[in-house]
Amino acid sequence: MAKDAQAAETKRKEEEMMEEQKTMAEQEDSAEEKSAGCPAEGIRTREEGLTLEKFEEASEVVKKVTLETKLVFSEYLSAQTGNKVYLKPENMQLTGAYKLRGAYYKISTLSDAERAKGLITASAGNHAQGVAYAAKAYGTKAVIVMPTTTPLMKVNRTKSYGAEVVLHGDVYDEACAKAYELADENGYTFIHPFDDLTVATGQGTIAMEIVKELPLVDYILVPIGGGGLATGVATLAKLLNPKIKVIGVEPAGANCMQTSLAQGHVVTLPKVTTIADGTAVKTPGNKLFPYIQKNLDGIITVEDHELVVSFLDMVENHKIVVENSGLLTVAALKHLDVKGKKVVSILSGGNMDVTTMSSVVQQGLIMRDRIFTVSILLPDKPGELYKVSGIIAKANGNVVELEHNQFVTTNRNTAVELRITMEAFGTDHKNQIMKSLEEAGYKPRQVNASF
């Protein structure tokens, strides 16, 4: 009898949620349809709400093309935060990001006629590769409009999956407008990067995997750009266990969802400035917003400099490469004001070009005082350079670069500038080196690294 009553109660709750979602969908249809500077897709039929049945269906469908990204327990981050921290490494997917889930599931729900028309989307990276890969799996033509500023590596990888790439505009908004223009001209079926409930359902399959592997998870941290991933994960998590807290994480310089939630409606930021290019979105999804309002438990914003040191932590302590947007949930861990909880950070992607990677590593080392530059004024006479280098060597500093400037003053016997860039083990070691130079009679002044 107790089991029957429990089953009846579960069914009643699902029916109530489905009714709420139906109401939200009707409200969305009457709202002005625009997203990230583009009109919402006008050639599709109205989508169904996010239901447990659809999430279960999507979970089975995406298994055909996704890798099993098992949770990785992080001793380092757990010790840093006082929680049990697990990483969900979606950066290890075939296309380097979670976006394959939503793209493939969306395409699986299209009719043969819709797929036969060919697919089109706009993206500067992860969604582009997800659609291209999924289209190839279905033997369907895919056209991807990418901004002209897209790194060549991402363009080539998208082409490698058989997609036709059209470069247009300097930013996503311009590329998206072009994609809709081409869709109208050629009858292509448009696959929106985030403001699509079916796409969001595919992204939400991540939550299904997290809960199955870690049933007692307390918190799930999810990156937010347009809101597709957060919508899917938060909605399914609440369906599976309402006690799970889902926290969205945005770049401080692109907090469109946080701003929209504060104002109670979708708003467009005047500009976005962040190194987390995958989440540099001005306008969150209109169709998604009601679900975010209902199911998200809060938003944390992260500064760019926090992403820089997080990249260094992930490379050194976990030996994995995560792009800046994927690092949002790692940087947010120290802002989460809880202790002793089971926390999952979703690493949304790992598509970072080598040039950016090099720059981020260098900046991270500088911020951690593991590379620093000092300026010393000394007399221009033999033996001075030898003396200074001996002090540094004795303190176990490793010289990376030297710059000897004889023209800082007209009196070279009084002062010649020596700039030394060196490696240290961290702040304490850097301070030890500086103290050794001071004790030797010099007045070292720290400056920005010169290389």
Side-chain angles (χ1 to χ4, degrees):
M1 291 293 290
K3 289 184 179 180
D4 291 342
Q6 184 177 3
E9 177 65 14
T10 300
K11 183 178 180 180
R12 183 186 67 79
K13 288 182 178 180
E14 287 189 10
E15 289 175 348
E16 287 180 354
M17 180 162 287
M18 289 176 67
E19 184 62 30
E20 289 178 359
Q21 291 171 340
K22 179 180 178 182
T23 300
M24 286 191 290
E26 290 172 350
Q27 292 173 344
E28 292 156 15
D29 283 345
S30 63
E32 179 184 4
E33 291 191 325
K34 63 178 182 177
S35 177
C38 285
E41 184 182 342
I43 59 177
R44 65 177 172 231
T45 56
R46 186 170 67 81
E47 299 160 299
E48 296 181 37
L50 305 178
T51 66
L52 185 58
E53 180 183 13
K54 289 297 180 182
F55 280 119
E56 290 175 338
E57 176 185 88
S59 293
E60 292 303 313
V61 170
V62 301
K63 286 179 181 178
K64 299 175 184 178
V65 292
T66 55
L67 298 176
E68 189 177 16
T69 54
K70 289 283 189 180
L71 294 177
V72 177
F73 177 70
S74 172
E75 291 187 7
Y76 175 79
L77 294 173
S78 297
Q80 293 285 315
T81 62
N83 292 302
K84 293 183 178 180
V85 177
Y86 298 81
L87 306 174
K88 179 63 171 171
E90 286 295 292
N91 58 309
M92 302 303 291
Q93 288 297 349
L94 293 169
T95 58
Y98 75 95
K99 287 282 192 177
L100 177 59
R101 295 173 181 267
Y104 188 80
Y105 180 59
K106 172 67 177 182
I107 294 171
S108 77
T109 65
L110 298 177
S111 66
D112 291 339
E114 287 174 314
R115 286 196 289 264
K117 293 176 181 178
L119 309 176
I120 191 167
T121 193
S123 170
N126 293 340
H127 181 67
Q129 294 177 60
V131 171
Y133 187 95
K136 181 180 180 180
Y138 273 94
T140 302
K141 176 182 179 179
V143 178
I144 314 293
V145 184
M146 309 180 83
T148 57
T149 53
T150 304
L152 183 61
M153 178 199 74
K154 292 185 178 181
V155 174
N156 288 339
R157 287 189 64 177
T158 303
K159 288 181 177 179
S160 73
Y161 297 126
E164 175 188 336
V165 173
V166 176
L167 298 177
H168 180 85
D170 295 327
V171 294
Y172 166 78
D173 302 72
E174 295 172 1
C176 187
K178 182 65 175 179
Y180 274 111
E181 179 185 322
L182 292 175
D184 290 338
E185 290 177 1
N186 300 282
Y188 297 140
T189 300
F190 192 91
I191 309 295
H192 200 282
F194 52 85
D195 199 17
D196 182 306
L197 297 183
T198 305
V199 171
T201 301
Q203 320 299 27
T205 58
I206 292 175
M208 184 77 77
E209 295 172 9
I210 291 173
V211 174
K212 283 184 176 179
E213 193 174 353
L214 190 66
L216 298 181
V217 58
D218 296 302
Y219 284 81
I220 299 176
L221 301 183
V222 54
I224 293 182
L229 177 60
T231 296
V233 169
T235 302
L236 179 54
K238 295 300 184 182
L239 284 171
L240 296 173
N241 181 358
K243 293 182 179 180
I244 297 174
K245 300 293 185 182
V246 181
I247 307 296
V249 190
E250 288 186 295
N255 62 332
C256 64
M257 190 66 79
Q258 183 186 55
T259 303
S260 296
L261 288 172
Q263 297 191 26
H265 60 89
V266 172
V267 299
T268 299
L269 299 178
K271 65 176 182 178
V272 294
T273 305
T274 177
I275 61 173
D277 57 290
T279 45
V281 177
K282 289 184 178 181
T283 311
N286 278 279
K287 292 179 177 294
L288 310 176
F289 191 63
Y291 295 91
I292 291 291
Q293 285 180 305
K294 179 178 176 60
N295 298 309
L296 202 66
D297 294 290
I299 288 183
I300 293 171
T301 58
V302 170
E303 300 289 344
D304 280 358
H305 68 83
E306 297 177 85
L307 300 177
V308 171
V309 293
S310 293
F311 181 85
L312 204 61
D313 285 340
M314 295 307 296
V315 170
E316 291 192 320
N317 296 290
H318 298 89
K319 314 308 179 199
I320 60 176
V321 173
V322 184
E323 64 187 83
N324 290 323
S325 292
L327 291 166
L328 286 167
T329 60
V330 177
L333 286 167
K334 62 184 178 184
H335 297 288
L336 195 62
D337 191 21
V338 296
K339 299 292 180 184
K341 301 296 183 180
K342 294 181 179 66
V343 182
V344 173
S345 289
I346 297 176
L347 310 181
S348 56
N351 289 318
M352 179 183 283
D353 63 89
V354 177
T355 302
T356 301
M357 200 181 304
S358 174
S359 176
V360 171
V361 168
Q362 177 179 308
Q363 292 301 315
L365 291 172
I366 292 171
M367 291 174 64
R368 287 282 171 85
D369 283 332
R370 289 169 55 184
I371 290 182
F372 68 103
T373 300
V374 296
S375 171
I376 301 174
L377 297 179
L378 66 163
D380 186 19
K381 61 182 182 180
E384 287 297 319
L385 180 58
Y386 177 79
K387 183 179 178 181
V388 171
S389 63
I391 295 169
I392 294 172
K394 188 175 180 180
N396 291 318
N398 182 40
V399 174
V400 175
E401 183 179 73
L402 286 173
E403 181 182 350
H404 192 238
N405 185 358
Q406 297 178 319
F407 304 105
V408 294
T409 177
T410 56
N411 186 350
R412 288 167 52 186
N413 289 322
T414 302
V416 171
E417 182 187 36
L418 180 65
R419 287 199 174 196
I420 311 169
T421 299
M422 66 189 93
E423 287 182 301
F425 301 128
T427 302
D428 290 343
H429 188 208
K430 180 204 74 175
N431 292 337
Q432 178 188 338
I433 295 171
M434 297 287 279
K435 183 179 180 181
S436 297
L437 290 168
E438 290 170 355
E439 290 176 346
Y442 298 104
K443 296 180 180 180
R445 177 177 61 87
Q446 187 172 345
V447 295
N448 292 331
S450 59
F451 75 103

